[in-house]
Amino acid sequence: MASKGRAVLGIGGFVLLWQVAVVGLRIPVYILPSPLVIVFDAAAKWHGLLNAAFYTAQPMVLGFLIAVVAGVLIALGIAFSPTAQSIAYPLLVFLQIVPKIAVAPLFIIWFGFGLTPKVLLVFFLSFFPIVVAAITAFRSIEPEIMELARSTGAGRLRIFRMVQLPHALPALFGGFKVAAALAATAAVVAEFVASDRGLGYLLMSFNGNLDTPGSFAAILVLSVLGLALYGLVELLEAWALPWHVSHRRATETGHI
């Protein structure tokens, strides 16, 4: 609780400093609105922002879930097959290097203006951290532990389920959290390219009309979406890994 309290105080202090600076320096609203102006503007536009958030959340969540499943499966193949590593891993690195914003218009040409190209863009931006984290996780187990597991007579599948997977979960969730943080960015970038709905569309519309408070309101809602997805992954991690040292330390710190 103490660490959470300090985090709230830090955020509150930043917002207060922002408010005081904008009012004290008399910064025009169209350049930098104060937090209170942003909140009031978001409240006035809440219906449109809520509908846009619901639309943006769909490709964000779908693309992230597909990235989780595909990323782990690809990592399994690469981690346990030297042949797959030599063929697939360089291709994955190349795909990651290609700028996603440059590929987005091609997705529109191939798949139209619906949900599919947005989901694909979220997937392509999110899956690489999962693959890298999963490969590292599956390969990082100590050889002595593997030898001990084999000496018990356990089969390959049982060793993976009882030894390798639990050992890999902390690193896997690290990749999931990075991907969750990227998913909101990918979703709004996809809407920048081609969309007539969503937070990305609203953001471009507000910017075009020099509605800076509206732009900040859209950014605020988008940030809340990203934080919600990230928080869900953290909750799932805490449920799946209550034994991990990171959660034990967090609990101990919270009681100080």
Side-chain angles (χ1 to χ4, degrees), residues 10-254:
I11 296 172
F14 171 76
V15 172
L16 180 61
L17 181 63
W18 180 357
Q19 179 72 31
V20 171
V22 169
V23 174
L25 298 175
R26 297 182 180 179
I27 300 175
V29 173
Y30 69 88
I31 293 179
L32 181 64
S34 70
L36 284 178
V37 170
I38 295 170
V39 170
F40 289 145
D41 193 77
K45 297 182 171 78
W46 72 270
H47 188 265
L49 289 170
L50 187 63
N51 289 336
F54 178 75
Y55 183 79
T56 301
Q58 296 177 54
M60 185 179 79
V61 174
L62 285 173
F64 171 74
L65 292 177
I66 295 171
V68 168
V69 175
V72 172
L73 292 177
I74 292 170
L76 283 171
I78 293 174
F80 297 112
S81 172
T83 303
Q85 177 185 357
S86 61
I87 296 174
Y89 195 71
L91 178 60
L92 292 176
V93 173
F94 172 77
L95 291 175
Q96 177 63 19
I97 293 172
V98 173
K100 306 303 181 296
I101 189 65
V103 179
L106 294 177
F107 288 163
I108 302 299
I109 295 173
W110 295 337
F111 302 105
F113 291 88
L115 186 65
T116 302
K118 300 176 181 63
V119 172
L120 283 174
L121 190 60
V122 174
F123 164 75
F124 275 111
L125 197 62
S126 302
F127 90 105
F128 191 74
I130 297 174
V131 172
V132 172
I135 292 172
T136 303
F138 290 133
R139 286 181 172 174
S140 62
I141 189 167
E142 292 81 357
E144 294 81 5
I145 296 178
M146 292 297 297
E147 290 297 329
L148 178 63
R150 293 190 188 98
S151 68
T152 63
R156 186 178 182 87
L157 183 60
R158 183 174 177 81
I159 291 175
F160 174 79
R161 183 169 58 87
M162 301 301 293
V163 179
Q164 290 174 292
L165 183 58
H167 176 82
L169 281 177
L172 279 176
F173 273 102
F176 295 161
K177 286 189 282 188
V178 173
L182 292 171
T185 302
V188 78
V189 166
E191 291 173 352
F192 283 162
V193 176
S195 182
D196 59 355
R197 286 184 291 172
L199 291 171
Y201 172 78
L202 278 184
L203 189 55
M204 293 187 66
S205 177
F206 291 147
N207 285 338
N209 295 324
L210 293 181
D211 184 359
T212 309
S215 298
F216 272 94
I219 292 171
L220 176 63
V221 175
L222 183 64
S223 300
V224 170
L225 279 181
L227 283 172
L229 183 57
Y230 186 92
L232 285 173
V233 175
E234 280 209 323
L235 286 175
L236 183 59
E237 180 187 25
W239 173 79
L241 305 174
W243 48 267
H244 194 251
V245 63
S246 62
H247 296 289
R248 293 206 307 271
R249 285 176 179 171
T251 304
E252 292 166 1
T253 303

